[in-house]
Amino acid sequence: MRILILTTCLLLGVLGTKAQEEPEYRMEIGAGAGAQSYVGDLDANLLRGQNAMAGVVAKYKPNPRTAWAANLRFGKLDGSSSNAETVYPVLNGEAWNFKTKTVDFDVTFEYNFWPYGTGQEYHGARPFTPFIALGMGLTFANADVTGLDNFKKSSTGFQMPFGIGVKYKVANRLNLSAEWLMHFTGTDKLDGLADPYGIKSSGLFKNTDCYSTLQLSLTYDLWTKCKTCMNDDD
């Protein structure tokens, strides 16, 4: 009986040591797809005008609690003055419709509510966690407008994405995440209609256009953390 107990303890010790020797990865790389929608002068409804978007994502993970995520997305926005709750003087009662192609790049800081991982590379890590994200980036937009005089208008503006998400370990090196972000931009030209009341736009919040993104991403772990650092908590 004593031999059985001693053998069991030794096996548990070996398995525990082996679990902590599983590699911890610093990087993730993959792709995402989802929907994005316009929020601005012509429409404040987040659920209206959903358009497909897709992109690539890379993440650097300093520790199981945090990550820096870089996203490059390609998508579309559209809208119409018929959805607006206000009559804009600049339109003179005429219809205004736009379709805008967007390219945006941003870097966000993600904070996980719980340590994220398989639990084999970091003690106490969980394969599922919600997170919050905040960052900065750029948005490039090309609006194709019909109404009044038809024209195309390009614009570039800083953007600040902020939102929430969840991530899940599908396998040891495979991650699935769902993320919703609101992008506050420094431009009022995503819809081609700049300063409809003659109030000059400024910063990221004064009379500027916004858009939201809902993205599902699949990423693969890369870049093994050095073994001499395995016991570090950072």
Side-chain angles (χ1 to χ4, degrees):
M1 185 66 177
R2 292 180 179 178
I3 296 177
L4 179 60
I5 294 174
L6 181 59
T7 302
T8 302
C9 290
L10 288 173
L11 286 173
L12 289 174
V14 171
L15 290 174
T17 302
K18 183 178 180 181
Q20 293 304 310
E21 290 179 353
E22 289 294 323
E24 183 177 337
Y25 297 95
R26 288 295 202 187
M27 290 284 297
E28 296 176 23
I29 189 167
Q36 67 180 31
S37 61
Y38 158 86
V39 181
D41 295 313
L42 299 184
D43 200 344
N45 190 330
L46 280 172
L47 301 179
R48 188 158 43 203
Q50 296 286 333
N51 286 276
M53 67 88 179
V56 293
V57 57
K59 296 185 181 184
Y60 171 70
K61 302 179 289 187
N63 56 63
R65 280 278 191 177
T66 62
W68 290 94
N71 277 277
L72 177 64
R73 307 181 190 85
F74 303 86
K76 294 181 180 180
L77 300 170
D78 61 31
S80 171
S81 60
S82 62
N83 295 327
E85 298 178 358
T86 306
V87 176
Y88 298 103
V90 70
L91 296 183
N92 296 320
E94 298 290 335
W96 185 279
N97 302 283
F98 73 92
K99 292 184 179 180
T100 301
K101 295 180 180 179
T102 62
V103 178
D104 70 49
F105 174 78
D106 57 56
V107 176
T108 59
F109 175 74
E110 298 178 355
Y111 180 78
N112 302 325
F113 283 65
W114 304 313
Y116 178 64
T118 62
Q120 296 178 337
E121 75 289 82
Y122 181 84
H123 180 69
R126 304 185 185 186
F128 171 84
T129 183
F131 66 92
I132 56 175
L134 174 67
M136 293 292 289
L138 288 171
T139 297
F140 307 92
N142 187 12
D144 189 354
V145 179
T146 58
L148 296 179
D149 295 326
N150 298 346
F151 64 90
K152 292 186 178 181
K153 179 178 289 186
S154 298
S155 62
T156 302
F158 288 102
Q159 53 130 331
M160 184 178 75
F162 172 76
I164 57 175
V166 292
K167 55 183 70 171
Y168 174 68
K169 275 282 183 187
V170 179
N172 283 348
R173 300 179 67 175
L174 203 59
N175 310 277
L176 182 67
S177 66
E179 178 183 62
W180 176 83
L181 294 174
M182 175 61 76
H183 301 257
F184 299 95
T185 77
T187 177
D188 193 39
K189 301 176 182 177
L190 294 182
D191 51 19
L193 183 63
D195 307 329
Y197 278 114
I199 302 173
K200 187 173 180 58
S201 304
S202 63
L204 292 171
F205 303 103
K206 183 179 178 182
N207 195 38
T208 58
D209 294 329
C210 309
Y211 61 99
S212 70
T213 55
L214 179 61
Q215 179 171 308
L216 188 68
S217 301
L218 189 65
T219 58
Y220 186 75
D221 289 335
L222 299 170
W223 190 7
T224 307
K225 182 179 179 181
C226 64
K227 292 185 178 180
T228 58
C229 307
M230 281 298 179
N231 293 324
D232 295 345
D233 289 334
D234 59 358

